């Protein structure tokens, strides 16, 4: 159940758990050390206090001066709140109370053993303990810890000083420490947990972006992912890069797929057109011959002559159309020369002039190139006339022809109205009717020529410009 | 003009030098006053004020020589190191001809005080010193009238040996400490100076409330301020006057209030006859 939670919750939870565990572990270790330190400090303080006092108490015992002993042991209790020990008791050599910081609890001359269970046990401990050594008594069952310090000088022991300490005080000091530590820990958690929560969200948000987009991929083109959303060089950054590449590749694939489909369709249309044209061409020759014979040797009846003439014009139109469909680029032809280009310019210029279109002719061909001149001339004429027509009045057409080492590139662009997507889809198909003029075979012819010459033709729309780019390979292949 | 100026300068130099020498001479002879636990001698701020007051009155430096036991102060008098001293009755009588009474404090309009027998306030059944048999008893000092002579005299009168009557006795070397010994429970009884107990009630009522007065003695002459026999008549007069005048002077009155006294009056040796008799009876004289 927990593992099904969103990372957005899981990461902060995990972080919080780690922080808590760390805080607990540190606190525990700190508290243990504090406990030890508090105990050590307490023991040391009591010991120091006792040792100092025992020296001052020696003359008091020696002179049997109860008052002096009392004044000495009651000194630490002047400010009752800050007392280190609970009480200080001076015993004489017979373990009777000589003086005590709290005489009411420990009356002068009373036997130590008579002061209560703890003291009775202590009395036995002192009796059993070596004379000249400090005795520390700490029992879990006892409410007090005792340090018994001999009051002696020059190996003569006159009595003992009992430093009594209430165990509860150590616990109380320790609890104060715990409270302080707890507050500090809570304070740190109050700072760390929101940071942790924020960090968790920050970690997960970019992953969420990727997930959202991946889930949409099946619907078609993958939605783009701005790499600026996550500009860092870590694993998530790598994921963003990989996603970007994936999107690019998928786009290319889609484009390629479309190209292939279009190409296949065009090829099918080409084959169909060619076979129909051939089928028509064969009888057409006979028909035209028959009409010609009729015209020459038939009756001179004007009606007949008129009908024959009508037939002849119709058949001729069919022949021209079929001839246009039957593009034959690979017919043997002389090589393309700079003169050919100049011829084309002369041919198309009047059209441009007629509608006041500027024609920029930028052809750079220094010598003949190994390409058949006739289809290239037709190609160039078709493209340029189309462009002039598209440019319209006061438009501009630019023709670029450039021969490289391995290929010839022709770029024809105009600044007329662009191509609509629907038009682009069926651009090179026969009778696609790009404009209201022409028969719709111009681009088809161009396409056939380029395809047969193993080149490529594509149309681009760049802002107000419509551009046709033709690339033709220059090699012995064109000589075949 | 020049001559006049020179004369003026000479005069100024002469005046300055004379006064400096005069002051220097006085500072070499301060009046030394011994202070003992006969009164609240551990109120140091009050003592410092009193010293300044006396210096102002006497136009001489005054030194208070404080000792915690009468014996030490008596030793200083024996050695001639004190001009005056505020003593308890016992040391005064013991010193005999070495000292003479300078003044006696007037306490509640009379130069007398008493001995109080006190027990812890938790002890409600003790009626007399005889009830304290086998207890721990605090004496003020071996040379104290109210804190040592009186209780021992009482026991003596009752036919009891003071040395064995109590289980344990000890000296606290001052009346206020004896009160503290009883208040804390260290001792189950003590005999003390009534003036100190009454005065302490104003200064530290909490402490005094932990004790209860069981018995009050007959009156005795208030601890006297004495002069060493060697003190000049002029110094004697000057110091006596300074003390007597205190009650007529606002600053002096304020100090007397702090001392919880009315003023200082003349005293006679006859005031101390009762104490002398007790000391004779106990064999201390």
């Amino acid at each position: 159940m927990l593992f099904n939670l969103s990372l957005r919750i899981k990461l902060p939870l995990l972080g919080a758990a780690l922080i808590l565990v760390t805080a607990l572990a540190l606190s525990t270790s700190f508290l243990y050390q504090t406990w030890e330190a508090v105990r050590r400090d307490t023991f040391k303080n009591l010991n120091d206090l006792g040792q100092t006092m025992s020296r001052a108490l020696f003359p008091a015992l020696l002179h049997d001066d109860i008052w002096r002993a009392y004044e000495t042991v009651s000194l630490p209790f002047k400010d009752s709140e800050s007392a280190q020990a609970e009480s200080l008791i001076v015993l004489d050599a017979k373990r009777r109370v000589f003086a005590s910081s709290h005489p009411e609890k420990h009356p002068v001359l009373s036997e130590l053993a008579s002061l209560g269970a703890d003291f009775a046990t202590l009395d036995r401990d002192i009796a059993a303990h070596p004379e000249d050594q400090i005795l520390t008594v700490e029992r879990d069952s006892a409410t007090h810890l005792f340090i018994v310090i001999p009051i002696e000088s020059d190996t003569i022991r006159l009595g003992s000083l009992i430093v009594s300490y209430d165990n509860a005080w150590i616990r109380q000091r320790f609890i104060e420490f715990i409270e302080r530590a707890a507050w500090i820990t809570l304070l740190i958690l109050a700072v760390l947990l929101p940071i942790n929560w924020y960090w968790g969200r920050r970690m997960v948000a970019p992953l969420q972006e990727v997930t959202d987009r991946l889930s949409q991929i099946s619907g078609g083109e993958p939605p783009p992912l701005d790499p600026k959303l996550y500009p860092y060089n870590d694993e998530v950054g790598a994921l963003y890069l990989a996603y970007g590449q994936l999107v690019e590749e998928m786009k290319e694939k889609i484009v390629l797929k479309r190209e292939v489909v279009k190409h296949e369709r065009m090829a099918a249309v080409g084959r169909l057109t060619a076979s129909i044209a051939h089928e028509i061409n064969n009888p057409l020759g006979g028909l035209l011959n028959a009409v010609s014979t009729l015209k020459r040797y038939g009756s001179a009846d004007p009606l007949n002559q008129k009908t024959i003439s009508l037939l002849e014009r119709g058949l001729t139109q069919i022949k021209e159309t079929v001839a246009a469909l039957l593009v034959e680029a690979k017919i043997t032809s002389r090589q393309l020369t700079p003169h050919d280009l100049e011829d084309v310019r002369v041919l198309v210029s009047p059209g441009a002039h007629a509608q006041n279109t500027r024609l920029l002719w930028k052809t750079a061909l220094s010598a003949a190139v190994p390409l058949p001149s006739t289809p290239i001339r037709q190609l160039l004429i078709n493209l340029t006339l189309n462009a002039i027509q598209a440019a319209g009045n006061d438009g501009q057409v630019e023709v670029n022809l450039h021969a490289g080492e391995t290929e010839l590139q022709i770029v024809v662009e105009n600044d007329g109205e662009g191509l609509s997507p629907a038009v682009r889809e069926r651009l090179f198909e026969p009778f696609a009717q790009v404009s209201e003029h022409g028969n719709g075979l111009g681009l088809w012819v161009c396409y056939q020529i380029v395809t047969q010459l193993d080149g490529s033709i594509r149309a681009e729309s760049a802002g107000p410009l419509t551009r046709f780019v033709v690339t033709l390979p220059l090699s012995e292949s064109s000589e075949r | 003009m020049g001559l006049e100026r020179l004369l003026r300068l000479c005069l100024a130099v002469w005046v300055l030098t004379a006064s400096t020498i005069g002051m220097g001479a006085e500072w070499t002879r301060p009046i030394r006053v011994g202070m003992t636990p006969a009164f609240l001698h551990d109120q140091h701020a009050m003592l410092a004020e009193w010293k300044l007051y006396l210096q102002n009155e006497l136009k001489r430096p005054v030194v208070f020589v404080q000792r915690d036991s009468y014996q030490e102060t008596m030793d200083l008098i024996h050695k001639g190191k004190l001009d005056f001293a505020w003593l308890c009755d016992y040391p005064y009588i013991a010193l005999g001809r070495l000292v003479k009474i300078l003044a006696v404090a007037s306490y509640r309009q009379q130069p007398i005080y008493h001995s109080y027998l006190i027990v812890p306030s938790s002890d409600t059944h003790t009626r007399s010193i005889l009830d304290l048999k086998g207890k721990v008893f605090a004496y003020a000092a071996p040379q104290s009238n109210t804190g040592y002579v009186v209780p021992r005299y009482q026991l003596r009168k009752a036919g009891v040996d003071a040395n064995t009557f109590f289980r344990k006795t000890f000296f606290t070397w001052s009346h206020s400490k004896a009160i503290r010994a009883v208040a804390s429970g260290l001792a189950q009884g003590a005999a003390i100076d009534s003036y100190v107990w009454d005065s302490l009630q104003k200064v530290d009522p909490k402490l005094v409330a932990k004790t209860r007065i069981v018995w009050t003695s007959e009156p005795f002459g208030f601890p006297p301020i004495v002069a060493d026999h060697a003190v000049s008549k002029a110094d004697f007069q000057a110091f006596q006057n300074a003390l007597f005048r205190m009650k007529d002077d606002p600053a002096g009155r304020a100090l007397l209030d702090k001392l919880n006294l009315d003023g200082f009056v003349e005293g006679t040796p006859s005031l101390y006859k009762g104490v002398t008799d007790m000391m004779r009876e106990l064999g201390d004289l």
Side-chain angles (χ1 to χ4, degrees):
Chain A
M1 201 47 206
L2 182 72
F3 289 95
N4 287 335
L5 283 173
S6 156
L7 273 181
R8 207 174 281 221
I9 296 165
K10 248 194 302 191
L11 276 182
L13 272 183
L14 189 68
L18 283 177
I19 289 170
L20 283 174
V21 167
T22 310
L24 271 178
L26 281 177
S27 304
T28 312
S29 127
F30 167 73
L31 289 178
Y32 177 75
Q33 285 181 19
T34 306
W35 171 249
E36 290 292 309
V38 166
R39 277 173 45 86
R40 213 171 36 238
D41 275 9
T42 308
F43 264 107
K44 191 178 177 305
N45 287 344
L46 296 177
N47 217 350
D48 290 352
L49 176 75
Q51 301 244 28
T52 312
M53 291 228 151
S54 70
R55 278 192 283 279
L57 286 167
F58 184 81
L61 273 176
L62 190 65
H63 300 152
D64 194 25
D65 192 341
I66 291 182
W67 178 253
R68 192 161 155 191
Y70 169 73
E71 282 203 312
T72 306
V73 295
S74 60
L75 263 179
F77 300 92
K78 276 265 164 85
D79 310 314
S80 55
E81 295 305 313
S82 63
Q84 287 169 310
E86 188 203 40
S87 57
L88 295 165
I89 306 166
V90 183
L91 299 183
D92 62 15
K94 293 174 184 162
R95 295 200 298 284
R96 291 180 309 180
V97 175
F98 181 73
S100 159
S101 60
H102 297 74
E104 281 172 343
K105 277 196 247 172
H106 320 119
V108 175
L109 293 180
S110 51
E111 305 280 342
L112 178 63
S114 70
L115 294 176
D118 279 359
F119 287 108
T121 323
L122 183 65
D123 187 53
R124 285 195 293 278
D125 290 340
I126 296 173
H129 192 73
E131 284 260 302
D132 56 344
Q133 281 173 27
I134 294 172
L135 168 68
T136 304
V137 180
E138 193 197 9
R139 286 193 198 81
D140 289 337
S141 59
T143 55
H144 292 80
L145 69 86
F146 300 108
I147 298 175
V148 183
I149 296 150
I151 299 174
E152 60 174 11
S153 183
D154 204 11
T155 71
I156 301 301
R157 179 169 179 165
L158 297 180
S160 323
L161 171 67
I162 301 175
V163 182
S164 157
Y165 190 86
D166 194 338
N167 271 331
W169 291 5
I170 296 185
R171 282 195 289 275
Q172 195 188 324
R173 272 184 73 187
F174 184 59
I175 286 167
E176 282 167 18
F177 269 114
I178 290 181
E179 278 176 3
R180 237 174 294 161
W183 278 115
I184 291 171
T185 309
L186 283 179
L187 207 71
I188 292 171
L189 288 183
V191 174
L192 281 186
L193 288 181
I195 291 176
N196 171 51
W197 180 80
Y198 168 77
W199 172 79
R201 285 187 63 96
R202 230 190 111 100
M203 285 288 291
V204 174
L207 292 175
Q208 188 64 44
E209 297 277 349
V210 177
T211 312
D212 287 347
R213 280 167 179 74
L214 281 175
S215 64
Q216 290 170 27
I217 273 186
S218 58
E221 199 170 304
L225 181 61
D226 190 353
K228 280 178 197 151
L229 278 177
Y230 198 89
Y232 309 108
N233 254 342
D234 57 8
E235 287 81 350
V236 179
L239 177 67
Y240 269 52
L241 281 181
Y243 180 84
Q245 281 171 4
L246 178 73
V247 168
E248 282 306 309
E249 279 169 20
M250 286 185 78
K251 271 185 182 166
E252 275 174 23
K253 238 179 212 171
I254 288 167
V255 169
L256 202 67
K257 205 169 155 189
R258 267 188 213 145
E259 289 282 308
V260 168
V261 168
K262 190 172 176 182
H263 197 78
E264 279 173 358
R265 193 172 69 225
M266 293 295 281
V269 171
R271 281 195 300 276
L272 184 67
T273 314
S275 58
I276 291 170
H278 274 296
E279 288 309 310
I280 292 170
N281 239 2
N282 289 336
L284 196 59
L287 283 175
L288 278 170
N289 273 338
V291 168
S292 179
T293 309
L294 259 181
K295 206 175 166 184
R296 212 176 290 165
Y297 305 108
S299 69
D301 177 34
L303 186 64
N304 275 357
Q305 282 299 324
K306 195 181 174 186
T307 308
I308 288 166
S309 180
L310 191 70
L311 277 173
E312 190 181 25
R313 282 201 301 279
L315 288 173
T316 305
Q317 190 186 349
I318 290 172
K319 190 191 173 189
E320 281 170 0
T321 304
V322 169
L325 284 171
L326 271 177
V327 181
E328 193 51 77
K330 289 185 178 175
I331 51 166
T332 319
S333 168
R334 60 180 175 78
Q335 290 196 332
L336 184 70
T337 63
H339 288 296
D340 291 313
L341 303 182
E342 193 52 31
D343 289 349
V344 172
R345 190 168 83 91
V346 171
L347 281 171
V348 298
S349 288
H353 275 300
Q355 54 180 25
N356 200 21
T357 297
R358 282 209 298 150
L359 179 66
L360 300 178
W361 196 262
K362 295 180 181 171
T363 56
L365 202 64
S366 49
V369 288
L371 280 172
S373 59
T374 312
I376 301 300
R377 281 169 67 124
Q378 190 176 359
L379 174 73
L380 202 52
I381 288 167
N382 283 6
L383 287 177
T384 309
L385 287 178
N386 276 356
I388 288 167
Q389 208 172 70
N393 285 335
D394 303 323
Q396 176 173 305
V397 171
E398 183 176 327
V399 177
N400 256 303
L401 188 142
H402 170 79
E405 285 285 311
T406 57
E407 59 180 26
L408 178 83
Q409 194 177 53
I410 302 166
V411 178
V412 179
E413 60 182 34
N414 68 76
D415 60 354
E417 280 175 40
L419 299 168
S420 69
V423 168
R424 287 184 60 158
E425 189 64 23
R426 311 181 63 82
L427 198 59
F428 297 110
E429 291 177 21
F431 312 110
Q433 215 61 36
V434 174
S435 69
E436 57 267 36
H437 312 285
N439 54 15
L441 283 173
L443 283 174
W444 159 256
V445 169
C446 292
Y447 183 84
Q448 291 298 318
I449 291 169
V450 171
T451 311
Q452 286 175 30
L453 291 175
D454 295 329
S456 72
I457 180 167
R458 66 178 194 273
E460 292 173 356
S461 277
L465 294 179
T466 305
R467 181 186 301 147
F468 284 84
V469 181
V470 176
T471 309
L472 296 165
L474 292 180
S475 63
E476 62 277 22
S477 66
S478 60
E479 306 280 349
R480 282 179 314 197
Chain B
M1 279 295 271
L3 190 68
E4 196 179 319
R5 201 180 264 178
L6 189 70
L7 273 172
R8 270 189 193 171
L9 192 69
C10 284
L11 191 71
V13 167
W14 179 79
V15 167
L16 268 172
T17 316
S19 62
T20 313
I21 289 167
M23 275 180 73
E26 277 187 19
W27 277 104
T28 55
R29 299 188 284 105
I31 292 180
R32 294 156 303 176
V33 186
M35 290 297 177
T36 64
F39 71 112
L40 300 172
H41 78 306
D42 48 3
Q43 289 189 23
H44 303 289
M46 181 272 289
L47 279 178
E49 268 182 60
W50 196 17
K51 194 180 96 166
L52 281 179
Y53 174 83
L54 290 174
Q55 279 185 167
N56 261 343
E57 290 290 308
L58 298 170
K59 313 284 183 235
R60 280 179 68 176
V62 174
V63 174
F64 282 176
V65 183
Q66 276 175 268
R67 290 294 180 270
D68 274 354
S69 80
Y70 297 118
Q71 188 60 55
E72 285 175 87
T73 310
M74 286 163 75
D75 288 347
L76 288 174
I77 291 172
H78 274 295
K79 289 174 182 159
K81 296 206 166 180
L82 295 176
D83 298 315
F84 305 98
W86 193 345
L87 293 174
C88 185
D89 302 10
Y90 185 115
Y92 158 65
I93 293 162
L95 284 167
R97 289 168 174 277
L98 276 176
V99 293
K100 52 190 173 186
I101 298 177
L102 178 82
V104 180
S106 166
Y107 174 58
R108 293 180 176 172
Q109 311 305 327
Q110 280 183 302
I112 55 162
Y113 76 140
H114 304 83
S115 170
Y116 285 161
L117 176 68
I118 58 167
V119 295
S121 50
S122 55
D123 173 0
T124 52
H125 58 269
T126 301
R127 292 281 168 267
S128 89
I129 195 164
L130 295 173
D131 293 334
L132 292 173
K133 187 175 167 58
K135 298 285 174 66
V136 177
F137 196 83
Y139 290 126
Q143 280 92 18
S144 167
N145 170 37
T146 50
Y148 189 62
V149 176
V150 172
R152 292 207 316 152
Y153 181 70
Q154 291 299 315
L155 291 174
R156 174 92 169 211
K157 272 207 302 186
V160 176
D161 181 3
N163 292 327
T164 55
F165 179 72
F166 298 116
R167 189 166 176 216
K168 182 100 187 170
T169 62
F170 60 90
F171 293 106
T172 63
W173 307 102
S174 101
H175 292 288
S176 55
K177 286 179 180 177
I179 294 170
R180 218 172 294 152
V182 173
S184 69
L186 189 69
Q188 277 114 46
I192 45 113
D193 181 331
S194 67
Y195 156 70
V196 172
W197 195 91
D198 295 342
S199 304
L200 209 58
Q201 199 163 33
K202 291 183 179 173
V203 182
D204 193 351
K206 264 195 202 165
L207 177 76
V208 175
K210 288 179 186 163
T211 63
R212 177 174 71 90
I213 299 167
V214 171
W215 174 83
T216 308
S217 74
E218 71 269 30
F220 303 106
F222 202 89
I225 297 177
V226 301
D228 187 86
H229 68 287
V231 168
S232 71
K233 201 160 178 76
D235 286 351
F236 187 93
Q237 284 290 336
F239 199 61
Q240 196 177 42
N241 281 336
L243 292 175
F244 287 173
R245 277 199 307 269
M246 275 179 76
K247 61 175 176 289
D248 305 321
D249 176 84
R253 278 235 67 83
L255 276 166
L256 285 170
D257 280 350
K258 282 182 187 169
L259 281 162
N260 197 26
L261 293 172
D262 309 318
F264 290 96
V265 296
E266 257 179 294
T268 58
S270 62
L271 261 175
Y272 304 96
K273 191 174 176 305
V275 183
T276 315
D277 290 346
M278 281 194 296
M279 284 168 69
R280 283 226 172 81
E281 181 71 29
L282 289 168
D284 285 358
L285 267 182

